[in-house]
Amino acid sequence: MAEGMTRRDALVAAGAVGAVGAGAVGVAGVLGAFTSEAPPDTALVAAYVPDVLPQDDPGSAMWSEAAETVVPLVPQRLAPPYLEYAGVAELRAWALHNGTDVAFRLTWADDSVDDLDGVRRYHDAVAVMLPTAPGDPPAITMGEPGKPVHILQWRATWQRDLAGKSGVDQIYPRVVHDVMPDDVLPPETAELYWVGRAAGNPLSQVERTTPIEQMVAEGFGTTTHLPQVTAQGRGVHDDSSWSVTIGFPTARDAIGAELEPAQQWFVAFAVWLGDQENRGGRKHYATWIPFSLELP
């Protein structure tokens, strides 16, 4: 690394070099150029604790039972829309399990809180991606045909929804509403005027019980929402970084898979910075790293 160059500078430079060569080497070259290669000995082990997991408490002392794993992040440039530059260089991860549940604690640098969606306003988020079967993982491109992945994404906006403090009124305090369908029509009729709700769009839900969305995918553009509330989590911001927990049962019934200590799994991560207009494919991601559950 050149003198004076930071780790972030090196990651950004690596992405730029890869972009030049992508056209010549094709898809295989793109995957090789932009995969965020972790050090060879990087692995995440969920430490066993015989207690209820702190799935909604990033500050719990119980997290000291787990070893910290530092995972490098790079801007997503495998498929459009691309992220032009890196806004964060690494993610720090911890994991715990108690035999029936598993939980992750994830932290990354971010000096702003972005938890309202609007015109040119985007939210902070982090996601955990796991294969649906042990052994060699599928492509890092959110799975591949016949080899799906399980994705759990925490969203700052969904957490704010739980507190009942999101919406147009929060962005524009002086907003004046016209008469709304809910004000003059029976509930079952009024709902038809809210197309997203009527269609079951998870982004249009009036009430939430978790800030975590669960999805399955078999490649870019195939993400499918899982209407489950088995995952829990919570994010805490300390003016310079986010600390987020994501927890769920080891028996992932919706995808027919169970995490067991005797198996070799893999895990990958993604981070979105709302203040830098990250959204959708414009994200930071980390490639697969080995993941396992410690024997009781």
Side-chain angles (χ1 to χ4, degrees):
M1 182 177 294
E3 183 177 356
M5 177 179 283
T6 66
R7 177 172 181 152
R8 173 177 168 176
D9 294 335
L11 287 170
V12 175
V17 171
V20 173
V25 299
V27 174
V30 173
L31 291 173
F34 294 122
T35 298
S36 56
E37 296 183 0
D41 58 347
T42 300
L44 182 61
V45 177
Y48 175 78
V49 291
D51 299 298
V52 176
L53 300 183
Q55 298 185 35
D56 59 355
D57 185 4
S60 170
M62 194 180 297
W63 290 108
S64 64
E65 300 290 330
E68 177 188 278
T69 298
V70 180
V71 185
L73 297 169
V74 294
Q76 192 285 121
R77 295 177 189 160
L78 300 175
Y82 302 129
L83 182 62
E84 295 301 322
Y85 62 91
V88 60
E90 63 187 25
L91 175 79
R92 296 177 180 270
W94 297 257
L96 296 169
H97 85 98
N98 59 9
T100 58
D101 295 288
V102 62
F104 295 87
R105 178 178 184 260
L106 310 170
T107 70
W108 68 96
D110 185 357
D111 58 9
S112 68
V113 173
D114 297 281
D115 57 1
L116 281 170
D117 289 328
V119 179
R120 295 295 297 272
R121 295 186 65 145
Y122 306 97
H123 58 260
D124 297 327
V126 65
V128 175
M129 182 168 73
L130 294 156
T132 56
D136 292 338
I140 192 62
T141 52
M142 296 174 69
E144 56 188 284
K147 293 184 178 181
V149 293
H150 181 205
I151 301 170
L152 302 100
Q153 185 190 55
W154 170 88
R155 295 178 180 174
T157 44
W158 283 26
Q159 181 164 303
R160 184 164 181 148
D161 284 346
L162 292 173
K165 296 180 179 180
S166 64
V168 174
D169 303 69
Q170 302 297 316
I171 302 176
Y172 307 106
R174 294 172 179 261
V175 67
V176 177
H177 291 287
D178 292 327
V179 175
M180 307 301 282
D182 297 318
D183 298 330
V184 296
L185 297 173
E188 63 275 9
T189 304
E191 185 171 339
L192 299 177
Y193 287 83
W194 303 106
V195 180
R197 298 180 199 171
N201 187 331
L203 300 180
S204 301
Q205 293 176 358
V206 179
E207 297 181 355
R208 301 192 189 282
T209 58
T210 175
I212 310 297
E213 181 181 14
Q214 296 196 65
M215 299 160 277
V216 292
E218 293 188 10
F220 287 141
T222 66
T223 305
T224 302
H225 172 75
L226 291 175
Q228 291 198 330
V229 291
T230 54
Q232 296 296 323
R234 180 168 168 259
V236 174
H237 195 267
D238 66 359
D239 295 329
S240 63
S241 63
W242 276 109
S243 293
V244 173
T245 52
I246 297 176
F248 54 96
T250 54
R252 298 176 290 162
D253 296 335
I255 60 173
E258 182 169 1
L259 294 167
E260 296 181 358
Q263 299 171 333
Q264 177 62 69
W265 291 85
F266 286 82
V267 65
F269 304 98
V271 171
W272 291 259
L273 304 180
D275 68 316
Q276 297 186 22
E277 299 192 355
N278 293 181
R279 72 275 192 192
R282 293 190 175 99
K283 62 186 177 183
H284 305 78
Y285 80 100
T287 193
W288 297 113
I289 63 171
F291 173 60
S292 60
L293 277 60
E294 184 180 70
L295 290 168

